[in-house]
Amino acid sequence: MAEQKPAQSKTTMLLICFFIGSLGIHKMMMGYEDWWKRLVLTLLCLPVGIIYKWIDLIKILQGKLVMADGRDLV
C-alpha cells in the first residue's frame, strides 16, 4: 500500500486549482491516482479541462472535494 499523503491546505489547493487546475496538479497533490486523465483531456480539448477546473474550485470552496483517502482539507 502506498504511503498516505499529508492533508493539504484548502487555501493552497484553491490557488493551485485556480492557476493550473485544468492540468489536474491539485488532484495529484491530493493523492488521486487518475489525475493524469485531466491532463490528457486538457491537451486534447482545452475547454473540457477548464470546465473541470471550475467544478473542482467550487467543490473545494464548498468543502466537498476531499483527499483521495477521504480526509478533509485542512
Side-chain angles (χ1 to χ4, degrees):
M1 183 176 206
E3 186 176 319
Q4 187 178 26
K5 291 196 176 262
Q8 299 293 331
S9 164
K10 190 174 186 177
T11 306
T12 304
M13 290 298 101
L14 278 170
L15 290 172
I16 290 173
C17 186
F18 181 78
F19 289 109
I20 53 176
S22 55
L23 299 177
I25 303 302
H26 61 289
K27 299 280 257 187
M28 177 189 65
M29 291 178 68
M30 293 170 64
Y32 288 90
E33 295 179 1
D34 62 346
W35 67 272
W36 58 271
K37 293 178 184 177
R38 180 80 51 90
L39 178 61
V40 172
L41 280 173
T42 301
L43 294 175
L44 294 176
C45 183
L46 184 61
V48 172
I50 293 172
I51 290 169
Y52 277 121
K53 166 186 144 172
W54 287 105
I55 290 171
D56 282 351
L57 266 173
I58 292 168
K59 284 183 175 181
I60 291 172
L61 285 171
Q62 293 177 338
K64 293 183 180 178
L65 189 63
V66 295
M67 298 289 292
D69 58 4
R71 292 178 292 147
D72 290 328
L73 298 175
V74 292

